[in-house]
Amino acid sequence: MSGEDSVFACGRASERGQATVEVVALLPLVVAAALAIVALLAAGQARELAGHAATAGAMAMLQGGDPAAAARAAAPGVPRARMSVRLQGRKVRVRIRPRAPFGLPARLLEATVVADAGPR
């Protein structure tokens, strides 16, 4: 093996080592981005469920039913402890706190939606 071949082989090993260092250095950034995406998806799901629940509660109010029960039925799988339904006149306010991924404070991800049943 000539001197040039050994330098070339050493250069390839050095490049592989550099790539490994770069991947390890970027790993925390990739993990943080993944956590942010999961948190945004949880917040979006909470908002969507709160919207459906508030609308169902307002429709039940228009039809003479129980708005709170209708709102809770419209958000299946959401525990009572994570969902609040408040009636204020002809308005139904639904607040949902999703399960916060990886220890994030749930209040940062909660969604509140108000649906109005309109005038009497």
Side-chain angles (χ1 to χ4, degrees):
M1 183 157 56
S2 69
E4 283 182 25
D5 291 338
S6 67
V7 169
F8 186 66
C10 182
R12 274 192 251 157
S14 171
E15 288 174 12
R16 279 188 297 229
Q18 178 66 29
T20 302
V21 168
E22 289 172 1
V23 168
V24 169
L26 286 176
L27 196 57
L29 183 61
V30 170
V31 169
L35 291 175
I37 289 170
V38 169
L40 287 174
L41 288 173
Q45 181 188 29
R47 176 125 179 109
E48 193 72 20
L49 285 172
H52 289 303
T55 301
M59 288 190 319
M61 187 180 286
L62 287 171
Q63 297 168 355
D66 181 4
R72 292 196 184 284
V78 177
R80 286 182 88 75
R82 296 196 169 275
M83 179 178 183
S84 70
V85 180
R86 292 204 173 132
L87 306 176
Q88 299 167 333
R90 303 281 291 168
K91 294 181 181 180
V92 179
R93 178 183 301 271
V94 176
R95 176 179 293 146
I96 294 181
R97 286 182 324 277
R99 284 188 175 82
F102 310 106
L104 289 172
R107 64 181 164 71
L108 295 176
L109 304 177
E110 76 181 15
T112 302
V113 177
V114 178
D116 192 341
R120 284 199 169 258

